[in-house]
Each structure stands twice: as structure tokens, then as C-alpha cells.
Amino acid sequence: MSQSVRTSPAGSGRALSEAYDTALLDLDGVVYAGGNAIAHAVESLATARDGGMHLAYVTNNALRTPDSVAAHLTELGIPTGADDVITSAQAVARLISEQMPAGARVLVIGGEGLRVALRERGLEPVESADDDPVAVVQGYGGPELPWGRFAEAAYAVARGVPWYASNTDLTIPSARGIAPGNGAAVEVVRIATGAEPQVAGKPLPPMHRETILRTGAERPLVVGDRLDTDIEGAFHGEVDSLLVLTGVTDGAQLLAAPPQHRPTFVDADLRGLLTGQPEVKEADGGFRCGGWTAVAGTERLELDGEGEALDGLRALCAAAWTAAGDGVCELDSGKALARLGF
């Protein structure tokens, strides 16, 4: 995929699981939410895997180790090995190891996933700003992470110790709704110190590099629920992407996506891996997909027709993105989305 401005979701005459050799799957909001499998995820992934697609799980969540993530997926009915899991903890640990000497002490603000990743790179995790760290790394530590951990980070960063973050996702999906993510915790330290961390996770290049190094993917398809991490990461990596609507992105956000946030394909859930994708065609001064036609009016997006709601959403994307060009569509989409149930 080139980085030219995308003005419409793409079509595919083949099932995506056949067109791409590796699915680079986000976890939270794609495979599970709050630890529970999302509807259709287990069966869809099994079918894709049985058909020969390599499944790799790529997460910005640095809390858990690859072993624990793999065990959780296996318990859900998705047989997974630790080598199939790539985390932002691994990406940030590699980044630190390339800039710091072997055996360097690193102050850890986060969970066990960070500690394991640092040790794999020959670095020594420490717990206090007074332990003479040469770097500070911050990753998601879960809802029980004590407030005092942010103070330890601030003390060290204020002394000039280099600061790294696994990722800066402001939110994370949970079984009860949307909760604060590591990005919210990073903001606490940023406000206290005025400093800026080096960030490794999606959508930035260190995470994409870590993923390709560990999977060896040649025709990867990024599968995610977030425009500003999964889809933007695919854009910067110049690979194709599938947005599933089981996580944080809603219809209005998709229609207003700037070029770097526009996915190649859009589907309701992971069943989208197992099918082709309908083509969106220019028609009647607008765009047609399935039984729907969408037109960008002077003030709003207009929709006419009937059929599968997703086809209507794809047509609306084409109308919105074409109207916006390399900007953000500001046309009113409320009535059209309500008609589709989005």
C-alpha cells in the first residue's frame, strides 16, 4: 500500500485470509475485551489459521508477558505460542538496548511484561529513582498501579534521566467500558516534568520493526480497532489494514478519519478475514456499495438505498474521504449513520 491519499475502502475478490500471509492482530477490542473473547473471534481465527494464514498478536499493552498472553488466548480457544505474541514492551526494550550499555539499570513504571522484556535485552530493571537508573521506562501497569510509581518516574526524569514509553494510548477497552490507558499515565509524568518520552509502540516505527523482525511476514495485514494506533501504524509501515468495529472506533470517527487513519478494509468483526471485500464504485454523482449510494452534499452526507449496513458505511466512507481529500471530513453524517445503526 502506498501512502497516497486513500479516498475509498478497497475491494478484494479473495478472502483476506488468502490474500495475505500473516494477520498482525491487535488484542484489546479485536480478539477480546476485558479478558473475554469477542463474538466470532475464536471461530474466525481458527478458520483463518486452518487455511494457512499465520496469526500474530501485536499489542500495545505492556502489562503482561508474551507467555501469559499466549496462555490466555489458548484458554479462550485460540491455540497460541509465546513466539506469536509481540508487545510494545519488547519494542521499547529493544529501543533502550540500542541506546544504553548492556547491563544498564532501567527504572520500571509498569508491570511484569516490561521487566521480562528488559531482561531479555540484557538490561536490569530497578524500582526506585535512587537506584541510579540510566533510563526510565513507562508501560501500562493495570488499574491497581500505585500513584507513587508516577512520582518515582518524575523524580528520575526531572534529574535528566532519559524517559521511554511503551505506548501512549490514552484509553484501553475493558469489559465495563473504556478505561484510561498508558497514555493517560504518561501525561501525569509529562505534566510533572515538562519532558517528552521516546515512544516505541503503535503507530510508531519501532513497533512495526519489532513485529516484522519477529514474524518474518511478507504480505502482512494489520487488523485493529483503533485508527490512531493500528491503522496509522499500518499506514507508516506501508502495509494494508482491516478495521473491525468491535472496539473503540465508531462510524463517525471513521468517516472523519484523516488520510493516515483510513483503513484499507472495514468490517464488523473478525469474520471479515474469511471473506472478500465488496468494491465501492462511483455512481450517480456519488459512491455505491451493495444496495447503498452515498453522496457528499453541501452540508451533509446523504445516503439512499437499502441492504447490508456495512455496505452503506463503506459507501459513506468513500463520499466522506473523497470530499475531505487530505483533510478531515466535516460534513454532518448523523442522519446517514443513524439510518445504518452506527
Side-chain angles (χ1 to χ4, degrees), residues 162-212:
W163 178 29
Y164 299 81
S166 64
N167 68 295
T168 52
D169 296 7
L170 291 173
T171 60
I172 188 169
S174 77
R176 297 176 61 192
I178 302 300
N182 191 55
V186 167
E187 285 299 313
V188 172
V189 179
R190 180 185 281 120
I191 291 167
T193 64
E196 293 288 337
Q198 291 189 57
V199 183
K202 296 181 285 187
L204 298 173
M207 188 66 170
H208 183 74
R209 180 176 61 139
E210 189 74 19
T211 300
I212 298 303

mmCIF file of all heavy atoms in Angstrom, residues 162-212:
data_model
loop_
_atom_site.group_PDB
_atom_site.id
_atom_site.type_symbol
_atom_site.label_atom_id
_atom_site.label_comp_id
_atom_site.label_asym_id
_atom_site.label_seq_id
_atom_site.Cartn_x
_atom_site.Cartn_y
_atom_site.Cartn_z
ATOM 1 N N PRO A 162 16.992 9.747 30.737
ATOM 2 C CA PRO A 162 16.170 9.552 29.534
ATOM 3 C C PRO A 162 14.909 8.744 29.842
ATOM 4 O O PRO A 162 14.951 7.758 30.586
ATOM 5 C CB PRO A 162 17.104 8.783 28.596
ATOM 6 C CG PRO A 162 18.473 9.141 29.048
ATOM 7 C CD PRO A 162 18.380 9.296 30.538
ATOM 8 N N TRP A 163 13.813 9.155 29.217
ATOM 9 C CA TRP A 163 12.491 8.601 29.511
ATOM 10 C C TRP A 163 11.943 7.932 28.257
ATOM 11 O O TRP A 163 11.980 8.500 27.166
ATOM 12 C CB TRP A 163 11.591 9.753 29.965
ATOM 13 C CG TRP A 163 10.177 9.431 30.283
ATOM 14 C CD1 TRP A 163 9.646 8.272 30.751
ATOM 15 C CD2 TRP A 163 9.083 10.354 30.178
ATOM 16 N NE1 TRP A 163 8.303 8.406 30.955
ATOM 17 C CE2 TRP A 163 7.916 9.663 30.619
ATOM 18 C CE3 TRP A 163 8.963 11.691 29.774
ATOM 19 C CZ2 TRP A 163 6.662 10.270 30.637
ATOM 20 C CZ3 TRP A 163 7.713 12.293 29.807
ATOM 21 C CH2 TRP A 163 6.584 11.587 30.236
ATOM 22 N N TYR A 164 11.430 6.713 28.433
ATOM 23 C CA TYR A 164 10.844 5.939 27.346
ATOM 24 C C TYR A 164 9.432 5.510 27.737
ATOM 25 O O TYR A 164 9.146 5.284 28.911
ATOM 26 C CB TYR A 164 11.670 4.680 27.065
ATOM 27 C CG TYR A 164 13.094 4.950 26.640
ATOM 28 C CD1 TYR A 164 14.081 5.226 27.593
ATOM 29 C CD2 TYR A 164 13.466 4.903 25.297
ATOM 30 C CE1 TYR A 164 15.397 5.460 27.209
ATOM 31 C CE2 TYR A 164 14.784 5.132 24.915
ATOM 32 C CZ TYR A 164 15.740 5.420 25.880
ATOM 33 O OH TYR A 164 17.038 5.650 25.496
ATOM 34 N N ALA A 165 8.576 5.370 26.739
ATOM 35 C CA ALA A 165 7.213 4.872 26.980
ATOM 36 C C ALA A 165 6.920 3.745 25.998
ATOM 37 O O ALA A 165 7.278 3.836 24.814
ATOM 38 C CB ALA A 165 6.182 5.983 26.814
ATOM 39 N N SER A 166 6.289 2.708 26.497
ATOM 40 C CA SER A 166 5.919 1.607 25.609
ATOM 41 C C SER A 166 4.922 2.071 24.558
ATOM 42 O O SER A 166 4.981 1.647 23.405
ATOM 43 C CB SER A 166 5.332 0.446 26.420
ATOM 44 O OG SER A 166 4.124 0.845 27.060
ATOM 45 N N ASN A 167 4.003 2.928 24.956
ATOM 46 C CA ASN A 167 2.973 3.436 24.042
ATOM 47 C C ASN A 167 2.268 4.601 24.712
ATOM 48 O O ASN A 167 2.451 4.847 25.911
ATOM 49 C CB ASN A 167 1.952 2.350 23.706
ATOM 50 C CG ASN A 167 1.114 1.970 24.917
ATOM 51 O OD1 ASN A 167 1.640 1.430 25.898
ATOM 52 N ND2 ASN A 167 -0.173 2.244 24.877
ATOM 53 N N THR A 168 1.453 5.308 23.951
ATOM 54 C CA THR A 168 0.734 6.456 24.503
ATOM 55 C C THR A 168 -0.767 6.376 24.201
ATOM 56 O O THR A 168 -1.427 7.403 24.015
ATOM 57 C CB THR A 168 1.322 7.780 23.968
ATOM 58 O OG1 THR A 168 1.380 7.739 22.539
ATOM 59 C CG2 THR A 168 2.702 8.034 24.530
ATOM 60 N N ASP A 169 -1.328 5.171 24.177
ATOM 61 C CA ASP A 169 -2.779 5.030 24.020
ATOM 62 C C ASP A 169 -3.474 5.657 25.228
ATOM 63 O O ASP A 169 -3.254 5.225 26.369
ATOM 64 C CB ASP A 169 -3.181 3.554 23.964
ATOM 65 C CG ASP A 169 -2.608 2.827 22.760
ATOM 66 O OD1 ASP A 169 -1.795 3.430 22.045
ATOM 67 O OD2 ASP A 169 -2.970 1.661 22.559
ATOM 68 N N LEU A 170 -4.310 6.635 24.988
ATOM 69 C CA LEU A 170 -4.983 7.309 26.103
ATOM 70 C C LEU A 170 -6.025 6.429 26.770
ATOM 71 O O LEU A 170 -6.317 6.592 27.954
ATOM 72 C CB LEU A 170 -5.631 8.607 25.621
ATOM 73 C CG LEU A 170 -4.659 9.719 25.223
ATOM 74 C CD1 LEU A 170 -5.421 10.891 24.605
ATOM 75 C CD2 LEU A 170 -3.836 10.184 26.421
ATOM 76 N N THR A 171 -6.587 5.480 26.014
ATOM 77 C CA THR A 171 -7.657 4.638 26.564
ATOM 78 C C THR A 171 -7.376 3.171 26.264
ATOM 79 O O THR A 171 -6.572 2.841 25.396
ATOM 80 C CB THR A 171 -9.022 5.012 25.962
ATOM 81 O OG1 THR A 171 -8.973 4.817 24.533
ATOM 82 C CG2 THR A 171 -9.389 6.451 26.278
ATOM 83 N N ILE A 172 -8.083 2.295 26.988
ATOM 84 C CA ILE A 172 -7.996 0.859 26.772
ATOM 85 C C ILE A 172 -9.381 0.260 26.976
ATOM 86 O O ILE A 172 -10.082 0.634 27.927
ATOM 87 C CB ILE A 172 -6.959 0.224 27.730
ATOM 88 C CG1 ILE A 172 -6.723 -1.250 27.386
ATOM 89 C CG2 ILE A 172 -7.354 0.402 29.186
ATOM 90 C CD1 ILE A 172 -5.532 -1.850 28.117
ATOM 91 N N PRO A 173 -9.844 -0.612 26.086
ATOM 92 C CA PRO A 173 -11.170 -1.219 26.272
ATOM 93 C C PRO A 173 -11.171 -2.181 27.459
ATOM 94 O O PRO A 173 -10.179 -2.868 27.726
ATOM 95 C CB PRO A 173 -11.414 -1.974 24.960
ATOM 96 C CG PRO A 173 -10.382 -1.478 24.009
ATOM 97 C CD PRO A 173 -9.220 -1.045 24.827
ATOM 98 N N SER A 174 -12.276 -2.239 28.169
ATOM 99 C CA SER A 174 -12.448 -3.206 29.248
ATOM 100 C C SER A 174 -13.853 -3.768 29.176
ATOM 101 O O SER A 174 -14.699 -3.285 28.409
ATOM 102 C CB SER A 174 -12.211 -2.550 30.612
ATOM 103 O OG SER A 174 -13.329 -1.772 30.999
ATOM 104 N N ALA A 175 -14.126 -4.782 29.980
ATOM 105 C CA ALA A 175 -15.456 -5.393 29.972
ATOM 106 C C ALA A 175 -16.524 -4.417 30.427
ATOM 107 O O ALA A 175 -17.700 -4.570 30.096
ATOM 108 C CB ALA A 175 -15.461 -6.631 30.862
ATOM 109 N N ARG A 176 -16.145 -3.396 31.190
ATOM 110 C CA ARG A 176 -17.109 -2.426 31.715
ATOM 111 C C ARG A 176 -17.180 -1.143 30.901
ATOM 112 O O ARG A 176 -17.995 -0.275 31.188
ATOM 113 C CB ARG A 176 -16.751 -2.093 33.168
ATOM 114 C CG ARG A 176 -16.846 -3.287 34.109
ATOM 115 C CD ARG A 176 -16.379 -2.926 35.502
ATOM 116 N NE ARG A 176 -17.195 -1.875 36.076
ATOM 117 C CZ ARG A 176 -16.865 -1.197 37.199
ATOM 118 N NH1 ARG A 176 -15.726 -1.465 37.819
ATOM 119 N NH2 ARG A 176 -17.660 -0.261 37.653
ATOM 120 N N GLY A 177 -16.300 -1.017 29.902
ATOM 121 C CA GLY A 177 -16.292 0.198 29.096
ATOM 122 C C GLY A 177 -14.875 0.611 28.753
ATOM 123 O O GLY A 177 -13.959 -0.207 28.750
ATOM 124 N N ILE A 178 -14.686 1.893 28.467
ATOM 125 C CA ILE A 178 -13.390 2.421 28.090
ATOM 126 C C ILE A 178 -12.695 2.986 29.325
ATOM 127 O O ILE A 178 -13.248 3.837 30.020
ATOM 128 C CB ILE A 178 -13.533 3.512 27.018
ATOM 129 C CG1 ILE A 178 -14.248 2.945 25.783
ATOM 130 C CG2 ILE A 178 -12.174 4.062 26.634
ATOM 131 C CD1 ILE A 178 -13.537 1.784 25.123
ATOM 132 N N ALA A 179 -11.472 2.513 29.591
ATOM 133 C CA ALA A 179 -10.718 2.914 30.778
ATOM 134 C C ALA A 179 -9.473 3.691 30.367
ATOM 135 O O ALA A 179 -9.036 3.626 29.218
ATOM 136 C CB ALA A 179 -10.323 1.673 31.576
ATOM 137 N N PRO A 180 -8.855 4.449 31.303
ATOM 138 C CA PRO A 180 -7.613 5.155 30.976
ATOM 139 C C PRO A 180 -6.495 4.181 30.618
ATOM 140 O O PRO A 180 -6.331 3.140 31.260
ATOM 141 C CB PRO A 180 -7.283 5.904 32.279
ATOM 142 C CG PRO A 180 -8.575 6.007 33.009
ATOM 143 C CD PRO A 180 -9.333 4.758 32.662
ATOM 144 N N GLY A 181 -5.735 4.516 29.598
ATOM 145 C CA GLY A 181 -4.630 3.680 29.159
ATOM 146 C C GLY A 181 -3.283 4.251 29.576
ATOM 147 O O GLY A 181 -3.212 5.220 30.355
ATOM 148 N N ASN A 182 -2.211 3.684 29.027
ATOM 149 C CA ASN A 182 -0.872 4.133 29.408
ATOM 150 C C ASN A 182 -0.619 5.580 29.023
ATOM 151 O O ASN A 182 0.128 6.288 29.701
ATOM 152 C CB ASN A 182 0.188 3.241 28.764
ATOM 153 C CG ASN A 182 1.572 3.494 29.323
ATOM 154 O OD1 ASN A 182 1.767 3.414 30.535
ATOM 155 N ND2 ASN A 182 2.528 3.816 28.472
ATOM 156 N N GLY A 183 -1.241 6.033 27.942
ATOM 157 C CA GLY A 183 -1.050 7.424 27.536
ATOM 158 C C GLY A 183 -1.511 8.401 28.594
ATOM 159 O O GLY A 183 -0.904 9.467 28.779
ATOM 160 N N ALA A 184 -2.584 8.049 29.313
ATOM 161 C CA ALA A 184 -3.049 8.912 30.400
ATOM 162 C C ALA A 184 -2.017 8.965 31.521
ATOM 163 O O ALA A 184 -1.771 10.026 32.112
ATOM 164 C CB ALA A 184 -4.389 8.398 30.932
ATOM 165 N N ALA A 185 -1.379 7.817 31.810
ATOM 166 C CA ALA A 185 -0.340 7.773 32.835
ATOM 167 C C ALA A 185 0.906 8.546 32.393
ATOM 168 O O ALA A 185 1.551 9.230 33.207
ATOM 169 C CB ALA A 185 0.022 6.325 33.149
ATOM 170 N N VAL A 186 1.244 8.455 31.106
ATOM 171 C CA VAL A 186 2.376 9.214 30.582
ATOM 172 C C VAL A 186 2.132 10.709 30.737
ATOM 173 O O VAL A 186 3.049 11.484 31.059
ATOM 174 C CB VAL A 186 2.631 8.836 29.104
ATOM 175 C CG1 VAL A 186 3.579 9.828 28.431
ATOM 176 C CG2 VAL A 186 3.193 7.425 29.013
ATOM 177 N N GLU A 187 0.889 11.134 30.545
ATOM 178 C CA GLU A 187 0.567 12.551 30.699
ATOM 179 C C GLU A 187 0.845 13.045 32.114
ATOM 180 O O GLU A 187 1.231 14.201 32.323
ATOM 181 C CB GLU A 187 -0.903 12.799 30.336
ATOM 182 C CG GLU A 187 -1.191 12.771 28.852
ATOM 183 C CD GLU A 187 -0.417 13.835 28.102
ATOM 184 O OE1 GLU A 187 -0.398 15.002 28.556
ATOM 185 O OE2 GLU A 187 0.198 13.491 27.076
ATOM 186 N N VAL A 188 0.636 12.184 33.114
ATOM 187 C CA VAL A 188 0.900 12.567 34.503
ATOM 188 C C VAL A 188 2.368 12.958 34.656
ATOM 189 O O VAL A 188 2.706 14.001 35.244
ATOM 190 C CB VAL A 188 0.546 11.413 35.459
ATOM 191 C CG1 VAL A 188 0.998 11.729 36.885
ATOM 192 C CG2 VAL A 188 -0.951 11.147 35.434
ATOM 193 N N VAL A 189 3.270 12.123 34.135
ATOM 194 C CA VAL A 189 4.704 12.403 34.256
ATOM 195 C C VAL A 189 5.101 13.586 33.385
ATOM 196 O O VAL A 189 5.937 14.406 33.776
ATOM 197 C CB VAL A 189 5.517 11.143 33.901
ATOM 198 C CG1 VAL A 189 7.015 11.410 33.987
ATOM 199 C CG2 VAL A 189 5.135 9.992 34.819
ATOM 200 N N ARG A 190 4.495 13.698 32.218
ATOM 201 C CA ARG A 190 4.796 14.832 31.349
ATOM 202 C C ARG A 190 4.416 16.151 32.025
ATOM 203 O O ARG A 190 5.184 17.127 31.998
ATOM 204 C CB ARG A 190 4.057 14.697 30.018
ATOM 205 C CG ARG A 190 4.326 15.861 29.072
ATOM 206 C CD ARG A 190 3.505 15.778 27.821
ATOM 207 N NE ARG A 190 4.056 14.836 26.852
ATOM 208 C CZ ARG A 190 3.425 13.780 26.386
ATOM 209 N NH1 ARG A 190 2.199 13.510 26.805
ATOM 210 N NH2 ARG A 190 3.996 12.991 25.510
ATOM 211 N N ILE A 191 3.251 16.193 32.645
ATOM 212 C CA ILE A 191 2.813 17.411 33.327
ATOM 213 C C ILE A 191 3.747 17.759 34.479
ATOM 214 O O ILE A 191 4.085 18.921 34.719
ATOM 215 C CB ILE A 191 1.363 17.239 33.835
ATOM 216 C CG1 ILE A 191 0.398 17.198 32.642
ATOM 217 C CG2 ILE A 191 0.977 18.359 34.796
ATOM 218 C CD1 ILE A 191 -1.000 16.732 32.997
ATOM 219 N N ALA A 192 4.217 16.734 35.206
ATOM 220 C CA ALA A 192 5.071 16.964 36.364
ATOM 221 C C ALA A 192 6.476 17.408 35.983
ATOM 222 O O ALA A 192 7.136 18.120 36.752
ATOM 223 C CB ALA A 192 5.153 15.698 37.210
ATOM 224 N N THR A 193 6.942 16.997 34.788
ATOM 225 C CA THR A 193 8.342 17.249 34.433
ATOM 226 C C THR A 193 8.541 18.166 33.234
ATOM 227 O O THR A 193 9.621 18.744 33.079
ATOM 228 C CB THR A 193 9.049 15.915 34.117
ATOM 229 O OG1 THR A 193 8.430 15.331 32.945
ATOM 230 C CG2 THR A 193 8.951 14.957 35.294
ATOM 231 N N GLY A 194 7.549 18.270 32.374
ATOM 232 C CA GLY A 194 7.714 19.022 31.134
ATOM 233 C C GLY A 194 8.537 18.299 30.098
ATOM 234 O O GLY A 194 8.839 18.853 29.037
ATOM 235 N N ALA A 195 8.896 17.042 30.368
ATOM 236 C CA ALA A 195 9.726 16.263 29.449
ATOM 237 C C ALA A 195 8.871 15.520 28.436
ATOM 238 O O ALA A 195 7.650 15.435 28.561
ATOM 239 C CB ALA A 195 10.593 15.282 30.237
ATOM 240 N N GLU A 196 9.527 14.943 27.420
ATOM 241 C CA GLU A 196 8.863 14.144 26.395
ATOM 242 C C GLU A 196 9.552 12.790 26.304
ATOM 243 O O GLU A 196 10.783 12.725 26.185
ATOM 244 C CB GLU A 196 8.922 14.829 25.030
ATOM 245 C CG GLU A 196 8.112 16.109 24.939
ATOM 246 C CD GLU A 196 6.605 15.838 24.924
ATOM 247 O OE1 GLU A 196 6.212 14.715 24.547
ATOM 248 O OE2 GLU A 196 5.854 16.748 25.290
ATOM 249 N N PRO A 197 8.805 11.692 26.334
ATOM 250 C CA PRO A 197 9.434 10.381 26.232
ATOM 251 C C PRO A 197 9.691 9.966 24.785
ATOM 252 O O PRO A 197 9.046 10.466 23.864
ATOM 253 C CB PRO A 197 8.389 9.456 26.858
ATOM 254 C CG PRO A 197 7.083 10.102 26.480
ATOM 255 C CD PRO A 197 7.345 11.599 26.516
ATOM 256 N N GLN A 198 10.628 9.050 24.589
ATOM 257 C CA GLN A 198 10.711 8.318 23.333
ATOM 258 C C GLN A 198 9.682 7.202 23.399
ATOM 259 O O GLN A 198 9.628 6.461 24.383
ATOM 260 C CB GLN A 198 12.101 7.714 23.142
ATOM 261 C CG GLN A 198 13.204 8.722 22.898
ATOM 262 C CD GLN A 198 14.500 8.038 22.508
ATOM 263 O OE1 GLN A 198 14.555 7.288 21.536
ATOM 264 N NE2 GLN A 198 15.558 8.305 23.258
ATOM 265 N N VAL A 199 8.872 7.065 22.352
ATOM 266 C CA VAL A 199 7.760 6.110 22.350
ATOM 267 C C VAL A 199 8.035 5.025 21.318
ATOM 268 O O VAL A 199 8.458 5.305 20.197
ATOM 269 C CB VAL A 199 6.425 6.827 22.059
ATOM 270 C CG1 VAL A 199 5.268 5.840 22.131
ATOM 271 C CG2 VAL A 199 6.206 7.981 23.035
ATOM 272 N N ALA A 200 7.765 3.772 21.717
ATOM 273 C CA ALA A 200 8.064 2.645 20.842
ATOM 274 C C ALA A 200 6.839 2.032 20.180
ATOM 275 O O ALA A 200 6.930 1.487 19.091
ATOM 276 C CB ALA A 200 8.802 1.552 21.620
ATOM 277 N N GLY A 201 5.684 2.066 20.843
ATOM 278 C CA GLY A 201 4.529 1.296 20.404
ATOM 279 C C GLY A 201 3.827 1.855 19.184
ATOM 280 O O GLY A 201 4.203 2.897 18.632
ATOM 281 N N LYS A 202 2.803 1.124 18.761
ATOM 282 C CA LYS A 202 1.984 1.581 17.636
ATOM 283 C C LYS A 202 1.506 2.998 17.911
ATOM 284 O O LYS A 202 1.118 3.299 19.027
ATOM 285 C CB LYS A 202 0.769 0.649 17.460
ATOM 286 C CG LYS A 202 1.135 -0.776 17.080
ATOM 287 C CD LYS A 202 -0.100 -1.649 16.899
ATOM 288 C CE LYS A 202 -0.750 -2.042 18.203
ATOM 289 N NZ LYS A 202 -1.843 -3.014 18.043
ATOM 290 N N PRO A 203 1.521 3.882 16.887
ATOM 291 C CA PRO A 203 1.749 3.619 15.457
ATOM 292 C C PRO A 203 3.182 3.875 14.992
ATOM 293 O O PRO A 203 3.402 4.058 13.800
ATOM 294 C CB PRO A 203 0.811 4.629 14.811
ATOM 295 C CG PRO A 203 0.928 5.831 15.715
ATOM 296 C CD PRO A 203 1.027 5.245 17.119
ATOM 297 N N LEU A 204 4.140 3.894 15.889
ATOM 298 C CA LEU A 204 5.483 4.349 15.546
ATOM 299 C C LEU A 204 6.358 3.225 14.982
ATOM 300 O O LEU A 204 6.110 2.034 15.231
ATOM 301 C CB LEU A 204 6.126 4.984 16.775
ATOM 302 C CG LEU A 204 5.366 6.233 17.267
ATOM 303 C CD1 LEU A 204 5.940 6.733 18.576
ATOM 304 C CD2 LEU A 204 5.402 7.333 16.217
ATOM 305 N N PRO A 205 7.412 3.587 14.237
ATOM 306 C CA PRO A 205 8.237 2.588 13.545
ATOM 307 C C PRO A 205 8.859 1.511 14.431
ATOM 308 O O PRO A 205 8.978 0.364 13.970
ATOM 309 C CB PRO A 205 9.309 3.451 12.863
ATOM 310 C CG PRO A 205 8.636 4.754 12.607
ATOM 311 C CD PRO A 205 7.756 4.966 13.809
ATOM 312 N N PRO A 206 9.300 1.804 15.689
ATOM 313 C CA PRO A 206 9.911 0.710 16.462
ATOM 314 C C PRO A 206 9.001 -0.507 16.628
ATOM 315 O O PRO A 206 9.475 -1.648 16.601
ATOM 316 C CB PRO A 206 10.212 1.375 17.812
ATOM 317 C CG PRO A 206 10.431 2.810 17.481
ATOM 318 C CD PRO A 206 9.424 3.104 16.402
ATOM 319 N N MET A 207 7.711 -0.285 16.770
ATOM 320 C CA MET A 207 6.789 -1.411 16.944
ATOM 321 C C MET A 207 6.623 -2.195 15.647
ATOM 322 O O MET A 207 6.605 -3.435 15.654
ATOM 323 C CB MET A 207 5.431 -0.902 17.427
ATOM 324 C CG MET A 207 4.468 -1.995 17.808
ATOM 325 S SD MET A 207 5.032 -2.911 19.257
ATOM 326 C CE MET A 207 3.566 -3.877 19.619
ATOM 327 N N HIS A 208 6.520 -1.487 14.536
ATOM 328 C CA HIS A 208 6.395 -2.179 13.245
ATOM 329 C C HIS A 208 7.657 -2.987 12.966
ATOM 330 O O HIS A 208 7.581 -4.137 12.518
ATOM 331 C CB HIS A 208 6.144 -1.172 12.129
ATOM 332 C CG HIS A 208 5.923 -1.807 10.788
ATOM 333 N ND1 HIS A 208 4.756 -2.460 10.468
ATOM 334 C CD2 HIS A 208 6.726 -1.910 9.701
ATOM 335 C CE1 HIS A 208 4.832 -2.926 9.233
ATOM 336 N NE2 HIS A 208 6.017 -2.610 8.749
ATOM 337 N N ARG A 209 8.820 -2.409 13.252
ATOM 338 C CA ARG A 209 10.077 -3.123 13.038
ATOM 339 C C ARG A 209 10.133 -4.375 13.914
ATOM 340 O O ARG A 209 10.528 -5.452 13.448
ATOM 341 C CB ARG A 209 11.257 -2.205 13.355
ATOM 342 C CG ARG A 209 12.615 -2.868 13.164
ATOM 343 C CD ARG A 209 13.754 -1.902 13.389
ATOM 344 N NE ARG A 209 13.763 -1.368 14.727
ATOM 345 C CZ ARG A 209 14.867 -1.196 15.456
ATOM 346 N NH1 ARG A 209 16.039 -1.547 14.976
ATOM 347 N NH2 ARG A 209 14.807 -0.686 16.656
ATOM 348 N N GLU A 210 9.746 -4.250 15.179
ATOM 349 C CA GLU A 210 9.758 -5.404 16.083
ATOM 350 C C GLU A 210 8.853 -6.511 15.552
ATOM 351 O O GLU A 210 9.194 -7.702 15.597
ATOM 352 C CB GLU A 210 9.297 -4.973 17.478
ATOM 353 C CG GLU A 210 9.474 -6.016 18.563
ATOM 354 C CD GLU A 210 10.916 -6.186 18.981
ATOM 355 O OE1 GLU A 210 11.742 -5.279 18.720
ATOM 356 O OE2 GLU A 210 11.236 -7.240 19.571
ATOM 357 N N THR A 211 7.702 -6.126 15.044
ATOM 358 C CA THR A 211 6.738 -7.096 14.531
ATOM 359 C C THR A 211 7.280 -7.855 13.327
ATOM 360 O O THR A 211 7.185 -9.085 13.244
ATOM 361 C CB THR A 211 5.431 -6.379 14.164
ATOM 362 O OG1 THR A 211 4.902 -5.739 15.332
ATOM 363 C CG2 THR A 211 4.407 -7.350 13.620
ATOM 364 N N ILE A 212 7.849 -7.128 12.382
ATOM 365 C CA ILE A 212 8.371 -7.773 11.174
ATOM 366 C C ILE A 212 9.580 -8.654 11.512
ATOM 367 O O ILE A 212 9.729 -9.764 10.981
ATOM 368 C CB ILE A 212 8.736 -6.721 10.114
ATOM 369 C CG1 ILE A 212 7.466 -5.935 9.694
ATOM 370 C CG2 ILE A 212 9.375 -7.374 8.908
ATOM 371 C CD1 ILE A 212 6.343 -6.795 9.166
#
